[in-house]
Amino acid sequence: MKHKAFMIDTSRCIACRSCQVACKQWNKLPAEATVNSGSYENPPKLTAYLHNKIEFIETEENGEFKWLFLNKRCMHCSEAGCMKVCPSVGALYRTEDGLVAYNKDKCIGCNYCVNGCPFDVPRYDAQNKIAKCHGCFDRVENGLQPACVKACPTGTLLFGDRDQLIATAKTSGKPIYGETALSGLGAMYLLDNKPQDYNLAANPTIPTSIFLWKDVIKPLGILGFWGAVGVAMLHYVTVGPKQLEENGTEKGGGNHG
Amino acid sequence: MMARRSQKDPSGVGLYPEWSWCWPVNRRILYNRASVNADGVPWNKDRPVIWWDGGKWKGDVPDGGWKPLSQAGTKKSFIMLPDGVASIFAAGMKEGPFPEHYEPLECPIEKNPLSGTKNNPVIKLFFADGGLEEDAFYSCDQRYPYVATTYRVTEHWQTGVMTRNTPWLNEMQPNMFVELSPELAKDKGIKNGEMCVVSSGRGKVDAVAIVTKRFRPFKVQGTTIHQVGLPWCYGWTTANSGDSANLLTPTIGDGNTMIPETKAFQVNIEKRG
Ligand code: SF4
Ligand code: SF4
Ligand code: SF4
């Protein structure tokens, strides 16, 4: 599989936030009520209706003011914590291009992916279904650039063949964030400063408890989940619908193992 | 045409005539006939922009197709200026002809350090004409010790009446703010994100404080002068957007253009009680 990816050259970003708006336009996401809380940055965090956003970070370098702009989004990790923990098969999936997309119809709203993500990305919409950057797979499959990339006027946001993006980025001599982390991120940064200056973990990792979950408990959990459903069905067939209502709340019990 | 990206440069001087498009006729250099002598030969033969070659102009698209100056029925090179020649100062200004520094009508210092005349003598003052209270001005007044300037933000166009009512844009810049330095914020006990009142001799507005190192105190003639900044794209017609910065700005017209002096005037700032 030839991976596609984003390369985000932060030094070129002018914080015009065309990317924020273009994403909302393409994905038909509503605006949310916000207030200024002492920063140009708004909304303050990613939401179910905001799949990418610019962080405004004020720093100083040799006594000179320096503004850092970081496009925050799902990093489309090759080793994706969200996918590892997701108990509902097909709710989170990898596209042919290697991006991490989702199917809301299959999302059961369990919130596990929130804990599995090292970058605090997944959100839940009003219907309690996952929402995050899906890499505009619908556009990409049709030979188009993601909406945010298309709208970016400065060449900060680039999208294409991952290996090629890395090769070109290397000619800048700047370190690439995410080339190898989590088996390679599908959204990488070219940073001017240290990752910590952008509030990025130098070595992002999936919480260790997740491995236990994924390798031991999740298989059991899925068994337990369907087991519970099976018992309920049996119950329905043998005892009738009224009791099922009483027992129904236990249906998801197997998930919490 | 705008999408053209040819890097061909037949002139060799960097005109790149097939890179994008240059309004109005893809001419790259204005008044380019001034780069040749009366016979149409480039003044600088090593860097020709345009030249007369057997009854035709070659090189850049000529700025007006008239023949070289030595020929009959021609026109001088500076085709948009009344006398057709270059100027070292603009004719027809009410003051000048040479540039001079004047202090703004409202300013924090008593004397113009660069000239004996403090303010531009040809500005239009409304208050002086028996104007209204909201036309008053207060220079070097202790009640309004800080310099204020107003500006736009990327997300809103002009006063924002259209963009503030475009929800996606308003989400990013929802309401009135005032930017100030950490030093001034400390002096006034204002914390980032707190609601403040900014007042001038003409009015007051509520604004959220953005405390930022992008604002720095000035040292002017040995004293520290603070500056605050406010956008002028908020106001009525949008819920929760806050008031217009134009309630603060002075009523004054530039002597030539009547442009008001919204980039430098005096205010006070206090935390809202
Ligand atoms: S950044 Fe988070 S949500 Fe995106 S792929 Fe990685 S783990 Fe999943
Ligand atoms: S790739 Fe698509 S979904 Fe992701 S941030 Fe860009 S526009 Fe939004
Ligand atoms: S569109 Fe590009 S330049 Fe503008 S804020 Fe987004 S990444 Fe930065």
Side-chain angles (χ1 to χ4, degrees):
Chain A
M1 177 165 62
K2 262 282 191 207
H3 265 212
K4 289 217 162 90
F6 297 87
M7 180 64 77
I8 303 171
D9 183 353
T10 54
S11 69
R12 302 180 79 114
C13 179
I14 54 171
C16 68
R17 298 194 276 185
S18 307
C19 46
Q20 278 187 222
V21 176
C23 177
K24 287 195 172 245
Q25 188 178 34
W26 177 255
N27 292 300
K28 299 195 171 66
L29 299 170
E32 296 174 275
T34 54
V35 284
N36 189 313
S37 55
S39 165
Y40 282 21
E41 194 174 318
N42 233 333
K45 287 210 176 308
L46 292 175
T47 76
Y49 309 101
L50 184 73
H51 295 350
N52 77 356
K53 67 160 293 203
I54 297 296
E55 292 192 344
F56 292 63
I57 301 158
E58 302 198 345
T59 55
E60 265 181 313
E61 202 170 85
N62 309 323
E64 286 290 309
F65 177 86
K66 189 173 175 192
W67 221 344
L68 304 177
F69 303 125
L70 187 78
N71 178 285
K72 270 284 274 183
R73 63 170 65 230
C74 169
M75 305 298 275
H76 298 279
C77 320
S78 293
E79 202 182 315
C82 59
M83 289 180 70
K84 272 184 191 271
V85 293
C86 179
S88 179
V89 179
L92 280 156
Y93 65 95
R94 198 166 293 282
T95 69
E96 274 181 28
D97 294 313
L99 303 173
V100 180
Y102 47 94
N103 179 347
K104 285 195 189 229
D105 292 341
K106 296 208 170 142
C107 172
I108 57 171
C110 66
N111 268 273
Y112 288 176
C113 53
V114 173
N115 301 316
C117 173
F119 296 103
D120 183 30
V121 167
R123 297 290 188 268
Y124 289 86
D125 65 15
Q127 284 72 43
N128 205 29
K129 303 283 186 188
I130 185 177
K132 68 170 192 74
C133 167
H134 44 65
C136 279
F137 67 92
D138 47 348
R139 294 175 59 89
V140 172
E141 275 168 11
N142 288 289
L144 298 171
Q145 293 268 293
C148 53
V149 174
K150 168 122 198 201
C152 177
T154 60
T156 303
L157 301 180
L158 301 172
F159 182 82
D161 177 79
R162 190 171 188 273
D163 297 336
Q164 235 163 45
L165 284 172
I166 291 173
T168 312
K170 283 203 164 143
T171 61
S172 74
K174 290 182 196 170
I176 300 171
Y177 182 86
E179 186 185 353
T180 54
L182 300 167
S183 306
L185 301 182
M188 294 163 287
Y189 294 115
L190 265 182
L191 300 176
D192 265 351
N193 287 35
K194 291 194 291 297
Q196 298 91 294
D197 294 346
Y198 299 83
N199 307 316
L200 288 168
N203 295 302
T205 47
I206 303 173
T208 39
S209 57
I210 299 304
F211 288 105
L212 187 68
W213 158 256
K214 186 240 169 194
D215 298 326
V216 185
I217 302 168
K218 180 175 154 184
L220 290 175
I222 288 173
L223 259 184
F225 175 81
W226 291 111
V229 173
V231 168
M233 293 284 280
L234 199 65
H235 202 74
Y236 183 89
V237 172
T238 55
V239 182
K242 192 167 175 291
Q243 264 102 359
L244 174 67
E245 267 168 37
E246 287 162 20
N247 293 331
T249 50
E250 288 172 31
K251 260 173 56 170
N255 267 333
H256 296 289
Chain B
M1 282 295 211
M2 296 296 284
R4 297 188 304 173
R5 287 294 181 268
S6 163
Q7 295 183 26
K8 270 188 264 161
D9 183 26
S11 66
V13 296
L15 296 177
Y16 300 105
E18 289 169 33
W19 175 281
S20 190
W21 173 259
C22 201
W23 186 87
V25 291
N26 204 30
R27 172 186 309 115
R28 299 293 157 141
I29 295 182
L30 198 66
Y31 303 143
N32 50 22
R33 285 184 303 128
S35 70
V36 298
N37 67 17
D39 296 323
V41 179
W43 293 112
N44 184 343
K45 290 191 187 60
D46 299 332
R47 299 176 58 75
V49 170
I50 191 167
W51 59 96
W52 185 254
D53 185 4
K56 261 192 13 214
W57 288 108
K58 293 269 177 70
D60 198 10
V61 178
D63 197 2
W66 293 279
K67 294 171 182 170
L69 295 183
S70 60
Q71 303 195 21
T74 184
K75 211 172 161 176
K76 288 188 182 135
S77 315
F78 289 77
I79 58 171
M80 284 184 286
L81 296 183
D83 45 13
V85 294
S87 318
I88 53 170
F89 59 84
M93 301 282 282
K94 291 213 176 108
E95 79 274 64
F98 295 109
E100 174 63 292
H101 170 79
Y102 297 112
E103 285 298 318
L105 180 63
E106 282 190 339
C107 74
I109 54 173
E110 296 283 355
K111 281 205 175 90
N112 182 349
L114 298 180
S115 161
T117 311
K118 186 170 178 186
N119 301 121
N120 186 325
V122 300
I123 47 177
K124 167 106 173 111
L125 289 179
F126 293 77
F127 194 63
D129 297 352
L132 307 166
E133 210 178 311
E134 55 265 36
D135 296 333
F137 53 90
Y138 301 89
S139 208
C140 300
D141 187 316
Q142 279 313 300
R143 287 173 296 172
Y144 309 110
Y146 309 120
V147 178
T149 188
T150 64
Y151 39 79
R152 296 164 172 86
V153 294
T154 315
E155 292 74 12
H156 292 301
W157 190 73
Q158 305 288 57
T159 53
V161 281
M162 290 185 283
T163 47
R164 273 189 271 125
N165 296 300
T166 303
W168 288 332
L169 297 177
N170 207 48
E171 175 192 78
M172 296 188 289
Q173 279 292 13
N175 54 303
M176 186 64 179
F177 60 83
V178 55
E179 300 190 272
L180 64 159
S181 68
E183 291 86 348
L184 179 58
K186 193 159 167 256
D187 281 3
K188 305 297 286 185
I190 295 168
K191 290 199 194 70
N192 191 47
E194 281 184 334
M195 195 52 107
C196 298
V197 182
V198 183
S199 55
S200 78
R202 294 155 297 274
K204 57 183 197 253
V205 298
D206 289 354
V208 176
I210 296 183
V211 179
T212 169
K213 287 187 175 156
R214 285 177 289 114
F215 276 73
R216 285 182 182 180
F218 296 106
K219 266 273 185 261
V220 180
Q221 295 179 311
T223 56
T224 300
I225 308 270
H226 291 286
Q227 184 192 19
V228 302
L230 312 97
W232 58 272
C233 33
Y234 296 104
W236 58 290
T237 77
T238 308
N240 307 322
S241 99
D243 277 329
S244 168
N246 287 344
L247 295 173
L248 304 174
T249 50
T251 320
I252 159 183
D254 167 83
N256 292 288
T257 60
M258 282 294 284
I259 299 282
E261 207 165 70
T262 57
K263 301 293 170 194
F265 57 96
Q266 295 296 113
V267 297
N268 189 25
I269 179 168
E270 297 290 347
K271 195 152 114 176
R272 195 173 73 180

